[in-house]
Amino acid sequence: MFIAGIDGGGTLTRLEIRDADNSFIRRESFGAFNISAIGADAFSARLDEVFAACGDMSGCAALCIGAAGLSLPQTERIIHRQLELAHFRGALRLCGDHEIALRGAMDGAGCVLIAGTGSICFGVNSNGVSARCGGYGHVLDDAGSGYAIGRDALREAVRSADGRSKPSALSRAVTERFPQGIGELIEYVYSKAGKADIAAFAETVIDCASAGDGTSLEILRREARELRELVQALSRRLGMTRPRTALLGGLLASDNVYSGIVRRELEGMAEIVPPAHDALWGAAQMAYEQT
């Protein structure tokens, strides 16, 4: 018998296998997991690929899948169908990627603040009550995320071109990417770019801020305040004072000017702690905890 944890991401799917005593066996990686990005048929094929890598699924005592969008009815139906075809009869837990991230980051009460392409804050208090703040997608939310920062960079370029704001290192860096002018930028945003493409401009903001560009620094400070509000709201909802908080996601997990600004915003209201483990480890533990 074995247990399995799956961390399903937009570009990468990761699998961890452990034995019935929770001892590590192996990890494997596969392609994208998000059904919205790859479609239903490719999602079914991805599940088949992952389950085949597990081995005989009739010997899987428990499985935890953590990913965005698992609450969608179509996604859940496909998962249950493919598991039935794989002869899985064990315990199953489907949860958000923020849940496995928290389980991997720490034991007990605390929260994770995640900022990558999107953003979310998720936590649990000493009574085991959990809550989330943010994470409602780039159209409505994702404040403090790579998408929000990248969108602000593109906005600054068009404002500068109009004369609504002064030229800056950031506006020049963005417009240099579009040698045919603002018209090319507009066509790119509305006809070609996806969410991740917009979010990629966050690196340009971070680079310009590192070089001292005031416009870029102001964007990062504004978005960092948005992330602080997520932690504040979550703390109030869960009745936590200065919660242990792990900073995760592509923008916060590394040492850069933005993560530094966010850390300063959280001083006094949160205890920043390094994550003990990653989200995949968390998924495997959540599987084991079902046995």
Side-chain angles (χ1 to χ4, degrees):
M1 299 294 285
F2 65 92
I3 60 171
I6 296 173
D7 176 13
T11 58
L12 185 68
T13 304
R14 300 189 301 151
L15 166 71
E16 179 167 315
I17 303 291
R18 289 178 168 261
D19 66 21
D21 295 322
N22 201 24
S23 295
F24 175 81
I25 296 178
R26 70 179 188 277
R27 285 186 167 192
E28 296 191 36
S29 297
F30 311 87
F33 192 83
N34 192 313
I35 191 171
S36 299
I38 65 177
D41 290 342
F43 181 65
S44 298
R46 175 71 67 239
L47 290 171
D48 290 343
E49 181 184 16
V50 175
F51 298 155
C54 290
D56 182 2
M57 288 297 288
S58 66
C60 183
L63 170 67
C64 174
I65 303 177
L70 291 191
S71 60
L72 296 174
Q74 181 190 28
T75 305
E76 191 169 350
R77 282 196 304 270
I78 292 174
I79 290 173
H80 283 285
R81 183 189 69 201
Q82 300 311 118
L83 282 172
E84 184 175 355
L85 292 172
H87 307 293
F88 172 76
R89 297 293 183 269
L92 174 65
R93 179 163 184 177
L94 304 180
C95 58
D97 49 2
H98 52 282
E99 295 179 73
I100 61 173
L102 177 62
R103 182 64 186 88
M106 65 187 71
D107 290 318
C111 67
V112 286
L113 177 62
I114 306 172
T117 300
S119 65
I120 191 171
C121 187
F122 178 73
V124 61
N125 64 20
S126 57
N127 295 320
V129 178
S130 63
R132 60 176 276 181
C133 281
Y136 300 112
H138 68 289
V139 175
L140 296 176
D141 194 24
D142 282 350
S145 68
Y147 181 88
I149 295 169
R151 177 204 59 212
D152 287 353
L154 295 167
R155 179 183 293 163
E156 184 58 34
V158 298
R159 286 178 57 83
S160 176
D162 277 352
R164 287 181 284 164
S165 63
K166 294 181 180 179
S168 64
L170 176 61
S171 65
R172 288 189 290 270
V174 172
T175 54
E176 284 173 2
R177 300 275 295 274
F178 301 95
Q180 296 180 35
I182 292 299
E184 183 185 6
L185 185 157
I186 299 305
E187 180 183 9
Y188 175 77
V189 169
Y190 290 106
S191 301
K192 300 177 182 179
K195 181 169 62 175
D197 298 314
I198 302 297
F201 281 90
E203 290 301 323
T204 303
V205 181
I206 290 173
D207 289 344
C208 289
S210 298
D213 178 61
T215 299
S216 299
L217 284 167
E218 179 52 37
I219 289 173
L220 297 184
R221 289 170 182 144
R222 181 171 64 243
E223 296 302 331
R225 290 193 292 270
E226 295 276 4
L227 294 181
R228 180 189 65 195
E229 288 184 1
L230 291 179
V231 178
Q232 285 179 324
L234 187 78
S235 299
R236 288 193 299 267
R237 290 175 61 188
L238 293 178
M240 297 191 295
T241 302
R242 202 166 179 267
R244 292 186 302 156
T245 304
L247 304 183
L248 306 177
L251 293 179
L252 301 184
S254 60
D255 185 13
N256 60 63
V257 63
Y258 185 50
S259 63
I261 292 171
V262 171
R263 286 174 179 272
R264 288 192 291 275
E265 284 289 339
L266 296 177
E267 282 180 0
M269 60 164 293
E271 178 191 355
I272 305 301
V273 298
H277 303 280
D278 64 6
L280 180 56
W281 185 92
Q285 294 309 302
M286 291 174 75
Y288 178 72
E289 287 159 5
Q290 296 180 95
T291 60

